[in-house]
Amino acid sequence: MSFQDHFSNQSAAYAQFRPHYPASLFTWLAQVVHNTGLAWDVATGNGQAALALAEHFQQVVATEPSAGQLANAPSHPHIVYRQEAAERSSLAAGSADLITVAQALHWFDLDAFMAEADRVLKPGGVLAIWCYEVFATEPAIDAIVADYYHHVVGAYWPPERRWLEQGYASLAMPYPRLPVPELNMVLMWTLDALIGYLGTWSATQRYKEDKQHDPLPALRKQLAPLWGDAPRRVSWPLRLHACQKPA
């Protein structure tokens, strides 16, 4: 599978509007590993997960094939960014205590990545993979967003998106699974933040390129009477899968 860059064009917006993962996720990850020396954050995007991992690990190597995404990643003394594919990293064999993949596994050559993860992960190390689907607010708003997702930009989703919609439910993990906590991302968002987030969707960008038309102003007009001026609660269930390499 060759690298398909769906995000560089909107990488600045991605950094601004994509939701951040709950702090409890990274606390849990730091607790289940044997050591907190090195974490490899694969397909780091703009470094959201890497930045949180850096609060718990001595070093984080964050790899990402998109130069545009890396240009918007925050610097941190514990993070080393490298422009590399998930399937071919420069990490030494048996070097990582933890490997994380946040909202990105569906883009990988899965067999090649799993082989690379096995090479890089220490015995006793943990592989953790997570994703989130479409957010929820209240039924009337959710129905409008669902119509936009499926019927306005639906034809523009890459086929890999279907696996993410299932929460990676069919994912075969290479080692014994760990029991994982139930996690949710919860934010208070204005309508501007919501529209900014929808603009980071790869399907929105592909629709705009194909139609030479931005569908978001019409969507904003639909949502404005329901959303109002105040921030609203927006939530996503986080689908977490984790396994531990035998020591």
Side-chain angles (χ1 to χ4, degrees), residues 3 20 34 42 65 72 75 86 89 102-103 109 140-141 165 167 173-174 183 191 193 206 216 229:
F3 170 54
H20 290 268
H34 291 171
V42 191
N72 287 278
S75 60
S89 79
Q103 194 73 358
D109 178 329
I141 292 172
E165 289 173 348
M173 298 295 273
L183 297 165
L191 182 56
R206 295 171 79 184
L216 292 175
D229 296 326

Side-chain angles (χ1 to χ4, degrees), residues 39-232:
W40 174 25
D41 185 43
V42 191
T44 194
N46 62 357
Q48 287 184 354
L51 193 63
L53 288 167
E55 300 302 315
H56 299 276
F57 286 79
Q58 296 170 34
Q59 184 180 26
V60 178
V61 176
T63 61
E64 165 62 43
S66 167
Q69 287 279 48
L70 289 176
N72 287 278
S75 60
H76 189 285
H78 293 176
I79 302 176
V80 175
Y81 293 103
R82 299 177 185 171
Q83 188 177 355
E84 296 176 353
E87 301 85 356
R88 297 177 303 279
S89 79
S90 60
L91 280 83
S95 61
D97 299 291
L98 172 70
I99 298 175
T100 57
V101 184
Q103 194 73 358
L105 187 74
H106 48 293
W107 303 122
F108 295 178
D109 178 329
L110 189 60
D111 289 341
F113 167 69
M114 288 300 185
E116 180 67 352
D118 184 62
R119 183 188 71 83
V120 171
L121 198 62
K122 289 179 181 178
V126 171
L127 171 63
I129 295 162
W130 65 87
C131 67
Y132 57 90
E133 302 158 53
V134 179
F135 60 86
T137 51
E138 62 177 54
I141 292 172
D142 294 347
I144 293 172
V145 173
D147 180 74
Y148 176 80
Y149 181 99
H150 292 288
H151 301 126
V152 178
V153 300
Y156 294 90
W157 285 114
E160 295 87 351
R161 176 79 186 183
R162 305 309 171 205
W163 198 26
L164 187 150
E165 289 173 348
Q166 300 165 12
Y168 301 150
S170 61
L171 177 62
M173 298 295 273
Y175 315 122
R177 283 183 176 260
L178 294 172
V180 298
E182 290 189 9
L183 297 165
N184 287 281
M185 298 187 296
V186 180
L187 295 173
M188 296 299 293
W189 261 0
T190 63
L191 182 56
D192 284 344
L194 174 75
I195 296 298
Y197 167 69
L198 297 178
T200 70
W201 282 3
S202 60
T204 298
Q205 293 301 313
R206 295 171 79 184
Y207 176 101
K208 289 166 68 174
E209 291 167 7
D210 183 49
K211 301 283 191 181
Q212 295 298 300
H213 167 72
D214 185 352
L216 292 175
L219 181 64
R220 172 190 277 278
K221 189 174 181 180
Q222 279 186 283
L223 289 171
L226 295 171
W227 198 277
D229 296 326
R232 285 187 173 271

